[in-house]
Amino acid sequence: MTLDATDYAKPLPFVTRENREFWEGCLRGELRFQKCARCGHVRYPAATLCPNCLFEEAEWIRSSGRGRLWSWIVFHKAYMDTFSGDLPYNVALVELDEVPFIMSSMVDPVEDLEIGAEVEVVFDQVTPDIALPKFKLSRVSD
Ligand SMILES: [Zn+2]
């Protein structure tokens, strides 16, 4: 299957100088964040200045992509027509190991979701240039 940018009608992120590394990482299957070179604070979303100490310099680190499901909501009404085919769909808040929260969505059925459940990132490539980070429940092997 070939992805065509015109096949995806939902809103896409704006790739900027600050967040380009984040989105290029997603295309490679890596969740990446800026880590402040002065205080070590991990920034999300990407920013020019550290929100903790206002320092500019940062290095990009690769996230484990693991965290916990903090909360979620289920949309039963589409506020944009392009989402009507997805109803009902969820919007989830995930607490990652590296950053406090990332807003995303869970790929699992809502009935399977539990507050605090261990989750891991998966990538949904929606255009040739954009892969959206989403999350799935981690399956603990025993
Ligand atoms: Zn800092």
Side-chain angles (χ1 to χ4, degrees), residues 34-46:
Q34 292 169 305
K35 183 176 182 180
C36 177
R38 179 191 281 164
C39 76
H41 178 82
V42 179
R43 303 178 201 169
Y44 180 77

Side-chain angles (χ1 to χ4, degrees), residues 70-92:
W70 201 78
S71 188
W72 72 92
I73 58 171
V74 177
F75 280 75
H76 294 275
K77 173 180 173 144
Y79 292 93
M80 297 180 75
D81 289 344
T82 53
F83 285 87
S84 58
D86 297 343
L87 293 176
Y89 67 89
N90 72 79
V91 175

Side-chain angles (χ1 to χ4, degrees), residues 36-41 43 50-55 57:
C36 177
R38 179 191 281 164
C39 76
H41 178 82
R43 303 178 201 169
C50 174
N52 189 50
C53 74
L54 304 182
F55 199 60
E57 303 299 318

Side-chain angles (χ1 to χ4, degrees), residues 14-21 23 46:
F14 292 105
V15 179
T16 64
R17 183 170 52 87
E18 281 81 23
N19 69 24
R20 179 172 307 282
E21 183 80 19
W23 292 111

